[in-house]
Amino acid sequence: MDLILWRHAEAEDGHEGLPDLERALTSKGQKQAKRMGKWLDSQLPDNSRILVSPAVRTVQTAEGLGRKYKVNAELAPDAAPEAILQAANWPASKETVVIVGHQPTLGQVAALLLTGEALDFEMKKAAAWWFVQREADDPASLYLKAVMAADLVVK
């Protein structure tokens, strides 16, 4: 199974009266989302499943990919790393799954996959981490295929 963890792009700061889920991308964040979305689109199989947190900033990030996606409430900010893996049907899914979500959860998912512990790994805004587990019943077949930052993607 292929699992891509994609952190939302740069969002506006929260301020009093603005619910966290309503924070939108900045203009820089919109450019990051389009750049990373273009790269991901060129790499992903056509039948990939895209799951997105209900936050405005993650939905806007996913729109940079230009593919159909499904908003999943279980991916909201502060979700447990195990909930992310469950939503993705890790490691049993037959299709590539992209999760568009938040820190610190996505960094914790990456750490959990790599170390067995939900440590606080840093994942930069708009970055994508691509994991592959070749055999669903063999954790030793897991590897990190790619880590891509939005500023490394050719415009």
Side-chain angles (χ1 to χ4, degrees), residues 8 16 44-45 62 71 74 82 92 96 126 132 137-138 145 148:
H8 67 77
E16 191 173 327
L44 292 171
V71 173
E74 296 174 23
E82 296 80 8
T96 297
V132 177
D137 58 353
D138 182 10
K145 181 176 180 176
M148 182 59 81

Side-chain angles (χ1 to χ4, degrees), residues 20-102:
D20 182 56
L21 290 178
E22 293 181 19
R23 292 175 42 221
L25 294 182
T26 63
S27 59
K28 177 181 178 181
Q30 291 171 357
K31 291 174 188 170
Q32 290 172 328
K34 286 178 185 170
R35 210 171 320 144
M36 184 59 76
K38 184 177 178 182
W39 180 79
L40 281 169
D41 188 52
S42 73
Q43 304 298 314
L44 292 171
D46 291 338
N47 68 339
S48 298
R49 191 164 46 113
I50 319 299
L51 301 175
V52 182
S53 158
V56 169
R57 59 194 179 275
T58 53
V59 170
Q60 290 176 323
T61 298
E63 287 171 351
L65 184 56
R67 294 189 185 200
K68 291 181 182 179
Y69 58 86
K70 182 176 181 181
V71 173
N72 186 324
E74 296 174 23
L75 307 179
D78 300 322
E82 296 80 8
I84 303 293
L85 293 174
Q86 184 175 359
N89 193 25
W90 176 266
S93 181
K94 300 295 183 209
E95 56 201 352
T96 297
V97 177
V98 178
I99 301 286
V100 185
H102 307 272

